Amino acid sequence: GQQVMQIPQYQHVQEGEDFTTYCNSSTTLSNIQWYKQRPGGHPVFLIQLVKSGEVKKQKRLTFQFGEAKKNSSLHITATQTTDVGTYFCATMAGGGADGLTFGKGTHLIIQP
Amino acid sequence: ETGVTQTPRHLVMGMTNKKSLKCEQHLGHNAMYWYKQSAKKPLELMFVYNFKEQTENNSVPSRFSPECPNSSHLFLHLHTLQPEDSALYLCASSQDPTVGEKLFFGSGTQLSVL
C-alpha cells in the first residue's frame, strides 16, 4: 500500500517564526490530506489537495501539492501558541484497500 | 463536538480482563474505522467497515475483535491484551472509504493494560 514519510519529526520554533513540514512518497498519490492534533486531542481534518501543483491557503497556513503528486508541504507563517500540536499528512491506503494511511507526523513546539 | 462519540475516555484493564470500546457517529456516514495511536506507530489503521461490512483488517491480532451492528455504531472487543497494546484507540467515520474522503475522529479511548 501507499506510504508517506514526514519530516521533520519534531520542530522547535520561537513564537512568530515560520514553520514547514514535508510529506513525501515514492509513488504518485491520488490525493493528500492534512490533519492537526492538539496535545491531548484527536486529529482534525484541515484540508485535501488533489491536483498537481495545487496550492491552498487557510489564513496563515499554506498547503502545496507537488507537480509530480509525490510530495506535499504545510507552511505556517508567523506561528502562534495556538499552532502547537502534531501535523499529519494522510493519503489513500492504496492497492485497492479502503481507508487512509497516515505519516508519523511532525510535532510543532513553540517557545514564547 | 465532532459528531463521533467514543466511550469510555479512559480504560485500565488487566491482561485477563475482557472489555469493549464503543463508538457512535451522528453524521450519517457509511464507513467507520478503528485506528491505534501509540508513540511507536502513530495512527495505525486497524479495521474498516463500509455499510457495516468489514473491508479491511490490517493484520490485527485476534485479541482485538471488532463489531459493527449498523453504520452508526462500532465496537472493539478486547480480551487477553498485552501491555504493549496500551495506546490511544481512535474511532473515525467518513462517507465513502473507497475514495479517500476526509475522516472525522472521536476523542479516543486511552487504554492502559497492566
Side-chain angles (χ1 to χ4, degrees):
Chain A
Q2 300 274 25
Q3 288 194 345
V4 286
M5 305 299 291
Q6 256 189 280
I7 55 171
Q9 187 175 359
Y10 293 90
Q11 184 73 59
H12 295 252
V13 301
Q14 295 284 337
E15 187 176 7
E17 291 182 338
D18 292 357
F19 159 77
T20 305
T21 173
Y22 301 90
C23 186
N24 301 299
S25 172
S26 59
T27 59
T28 303
L29 304 172
S30 56
N31 65 14
I32 194 86
Q33 297 179 17
W34 287 93
Y35 291 76
K36 176 184 179 181
Q37 185 174 18
R38 294 180 185 273
H42 57 273
V44 175
F45 173 82
L46 294 177
I47 210 158
Q48 175 170 280
L49 304 172
V50 179
K51 299 177 182 177
S52 168
E54 190 170 13
V55 178
K56 288 188 177 180
K57 293 190 176 184
Q58 290 180 351
K59 297 182 180 178
R60 293 178 294 104
L61 277 60
T62 302
F63 304 85
Q64 290 188 314
F65 202 7
E67 292 290 342
K69 300 181 71 173
K70 290 184 176 182
N71 57 75
S72 180
S73 65
L74 158 59
H75 179 83
I76 302 178
T77 303
T79 55
Q80 300 175 359
T81 54
T82 54
D83 296 325
V84 164
T86 304
Y87 293 84
F88 294 95
C89 63
T91 190
M92 292 179 66
D98 291 344
L100 298 181
T101 296
F102 284 78
K104 291 191 174 183
T106 295
H107 301 264
L108 174 59
I109 299 106
I110 297 177
Q111 293 152 340
Chain B
E1 180 59 50
T2 67
V4 181
T5 304
Q6 285 188 247
T7 55
R9 292 294 304 273
H10 302 273
L11 179 62
V12 179
M13 59 187 290
M15 290 189 286
T16 58
N17 292 158
K18 291 183 180 180
K19 297 287 184 181
S20 295
L21 310 184
K22 178 182 176 181
C23 178
E24 182 175 0
Q25 59 99 357
H26 311 275
L27 301 170
H29 288 161
N30 298 316
M32 297 188 77
Y33 311 75
W34 281 116
Y35 278 87
K36 175 184 177 182
Q37 187 173 39
S38 63
K40 289 186 178 180
K41 291 186 179 181
L43 289 171
E44 184 180 7
L45 180 62
M46 300 175 72
F47 302 103
V48 181
Y49 279 83
N50 191 17
F51 289 99
K52 74 179 183 179
E53 297 296 323
Q54 187 180 122
T55 60
E56 299 297 333
N57 175 341
N58 282 352
S59 303
V60 180
S62 60
R63 57 185 184 269
F64 295 91
S65 175
E67 178 189 0
C68 189
N70 54 61
S71 294
S72 299
H73 294 85
L74 184 64
F75 297 88
L76 188 62
H77 304 298
L78 316 171
H79 64 96
T80 59
L81 294 191
Q82 304 299 311
E84 60 264 29
D85 296 321
S86 298
L88 179 67
Y89 289 85
L90 290 158
C91 173
S93 72
S94 74
Q95 187 60 34
D96 185 348
T98 65
V99 295
E101 291 189 348
K102 65 181 179 182
L103 301 181
F104 292 78
F105 284 89
S107 299
T109 295
Q110 186 65 54
L111 173 68
S112 297
V113 181
L114 305 179

